[in-house]
């Protein structure tokens, strides 16, 4: 008679507004090697289990107010890329990992969509006038003649840079130190150089003590004239006043903004009405439940094996 092997129960707390996340976590768990020897019990922390939770999958903004009710917390897997809410909380006695490795393709689509949209807007202008006007478009630069400047060189910027290389663009990255990064022709620590040499500037920097206000105080003057600025990183890297100044002075020809220092963007913001600004409501990349679940279960395997987790966060640094 074959012996029955006891299965180990793994308790996971959930605190997320992502629809369908629990089902995706259960599906990913069943498809993993863990299901052979483990049983998953996933419960919302509001169900009365908060005091016993050691492993938590959560939206940082939703769970931060409940951290004091989680005395046994040992590991928190963020369902977002950003962990600003958790970094701003004083608690540091648990491991934190962020959602990563899945946003690069989405943000690449947003960035290049914003770049191509300039031509489509001009085409729409002539269409509305019922005017056949090929000449202005014969003078537009080819992507292969342009430089894409990317502020930040992490996993998301690297994917954007690699997509840019597929178009033949030169890619120049800004980071705290020069180094080799896949997809980049050069990575430098001189911000004015990146702003000056780039034709399109994309900010993908996180919000940290070092990056907040980085593009304020006339920094964008280094762009020269007529650059396109796309922000898919964090809104507090540049102030509203700095953006308006750069647009009005002609340093920027346009600003495509997905993130803001205050969200939702207040109705009193001048950005809503500025002709050079295009606004999107922080949707350049979203957390799909299947992506969150797959990374969480992959990290859960590492956790149970006692191995280093993927995409660890230093909460003191904020990333």
């Amino acid at each position: 008679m074959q012996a029955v092997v006891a299965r180990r129960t793994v308790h996971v707390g959930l605190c997320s507004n992502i629809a369908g996340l629990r089902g995706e976590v259960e599906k990913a768990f069943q498809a993993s090697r863990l299901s052979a020897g483990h049983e998953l019990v996933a419960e919302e922390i509001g169900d009365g289990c908060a005091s016993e939770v050691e492993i938590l999958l959560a939206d940082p903004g939703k769970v931060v107010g409940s951290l004091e009710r989680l005395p046994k917390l040992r590991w928190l897997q963020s369902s977002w890329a950003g962990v600003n809410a958790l970094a701003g909380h004083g608690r540091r006695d648990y491991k934190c990992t962020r959602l990563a490795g899945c946003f690069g393709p989405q943000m690449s689509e947003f960035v290049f969509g914003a770049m191509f949209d300039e031509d489509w807007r001009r085409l729409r202008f002539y269409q509305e006038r019922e005017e056949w006007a090929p000449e202005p478009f014969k003078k537009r630069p080819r992507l292969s003649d342009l430089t894409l400047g990317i502020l930040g060189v992490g996993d998301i910027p690297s994917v954007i840079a690699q997509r840019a290389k597929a178009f033949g663009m030169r890619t120049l990255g800004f980071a705290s130190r020069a180094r080799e990064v896949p997809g980049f022709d050069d990575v430098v620590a001189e911000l004015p150089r990146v702003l000056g040499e780039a034709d399109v500037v994309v900010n993908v920097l996180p919000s940290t003590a070092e990056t907040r206000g980085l593009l304020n105080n006339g920094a964008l003057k280094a762009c020269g004239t007529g650059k396109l600025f796309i922000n898919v990183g964090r809104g507090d890297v540049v102030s509203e006043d700095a953006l308006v100044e750069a647009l009005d002075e002609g340093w920027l020809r346009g600003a495509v903004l997905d993130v803001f220092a205050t969200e939702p963007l207040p109705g009193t913001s001048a950005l809503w009405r500025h002709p050079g600004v295009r606004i999107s409501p922080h949707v350049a990349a979203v957390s799909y439940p299947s992506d969150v679940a797959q990374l969480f279960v992959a990290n859960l395997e590492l956790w149970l094996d006692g191995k280093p987790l993927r995409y660890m966060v230093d909460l003191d640094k904020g990333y």
Side-chain angles (χ1 to χ4, degrees):
M1 183 175 179
Q2 188 174 5
V4 177
V5 178
R7 302 175 77 203
R8 177 183 174 187
T9 300
V10 180
H11 293 273
V12 173
L14 298 175
C15 184
S16 175
N17 290 325
I18 300 175
L21 181 56
R22 183 173 183 168
E24 289 293 337
V25 168
E26 292 171 346
K27 184 194 302 183
F29 183 87
Q30 289 303 317
S32 74
R33 65 175 179 81
L34 292 177
S35 62
H38 300 77
E39 178 182 357
L40 176 70
V41 176
E43 299 177 284
E44 295 288 338
I45 61 170
D47 294 344
C49 65
S51 63
E52 299 300 318
V53 168
E54 296 185 3
I55 301 171
L56 180 65
L57 173 59
D59 302 349
K62 182 175 183 179
V63 78
V64 66
S66 301
L67 286 178
E68 303 307 325
R69 297 195 298 114
L70 299 160
K72 295 185 178 181
L73 180 64
R74 297 175 59 205
W75 164 41
L76 188 156
Q77 170 67 59
S78 168
S79 58
W80 300 350
V83 294
N84 303 60
L86 299 174
H89 192 281
R91 187 169 176 181
R92 295 290 187 269
D93 62 345
Y94 63 95
K95 295 182 183 296
C96 180
T97 50
R98 63 186 176 88
L99 181 61
C102 58
F103 291 125
Q106 289 187 65
M107 286 200 175
S108 297
E109 293 167 7
F110 183 93
V111 166
F112 288 101
M115 292 168 60
F116 297 145
D117 185 55
E118 289 192 302
D119 274 348
W120 283 108
R121 283 172 172 258
R122 294 167 66 199
L123 286 165
R124 182 68 184 178
F125 169 79
Y126 290 110
Q127 181 179 341
E128 290 176 347
R129 295 172 57 181
E130 299 179 3
E131 180 180 347
W132 187 268
E135 292 306 316
F137 300 94
K138 293 180 180 179
K139 301 174 184 178
R140 72 184 189 277
R142 298 172 298 184
L143 287 184
S144 57
D145 294 328
L146 302 181
T147 294
L148 184 66
I150 305 178
L151 310 185
V153 297
D155 62 290
I156 294 172
S158 180
V159 173
I160 295 173
Q162 291 176 64
R163 300 291 171 89
K165 294 302 295 180
F167 285 113
M169 300 183 77
R170 174 178 173 242
T171 53
L172 180 61
F174 168 73
S176 58
R177 58 182 176 84
R179 56 187 183 273
E180 293 187 3
V181 180
F184 288 92
D185 292 306
D186 292 291
V187 173
V188 301
E190 296 81 33
L191 179 62
R193 176 184 167 187
V194 176
L195 297 178
E197 294 185 19
D199 297 285
V200 178
V201 178
V202 180
N203 174 58
V204 201
L205 289 168
S207 176
T208 69
E210 291 74 28
T211 64
R212 283 188 283 275
L214 180 70
L215 299 180
N216 294 347
N217 302 314
L220 290 171
K221 188 175 182 178
C223 288
T225 303
K227 304 296 176 65
L228 176 64
F229 176 71
I230 303 171
N231 194 359
V232 293
R234 284 294 176 262
D236 58 8
V237 170
V238 59
S239 71
E240 180 174 311
D241 289 343
L243 282 171
V244 171
E245 178 189 28
L247 290 162
D248 290 347
E249 293 292 334
W251 308 333
L252 300 178
R253 69 174 183 271
V256 180
L257 310 174
D258 184 59
V259 289
F260 306 88
T262 300
E263 296 182 2
L265 184 65
T268 55
S269 171
L271 296 175
W272 285 112
R273 296 171 293 280
H274 198 290
V277 173
R278 284 173 279 166
I279 290 172
S280 66
H282 205 145
V283 292
V286 298
S287 298
Y288 284 94
S290 57
D291 291 336
V292 178
Q294 287 168 17
L295 176 59
F296 171 67
V297 171
N299 258 344
L300 183 60
E301 290 185 2
L302 296 173
W303 175 264
L304 294 174
D305 287 342
K307 297 179 180 179
L309 302 177
R310 298 175 64 192
Y311 307 119
M312 282 288 299
V313 171
D314 183 332
L315 290 174
D316 288 326
K317 292 181 178 179
Y319 61 94

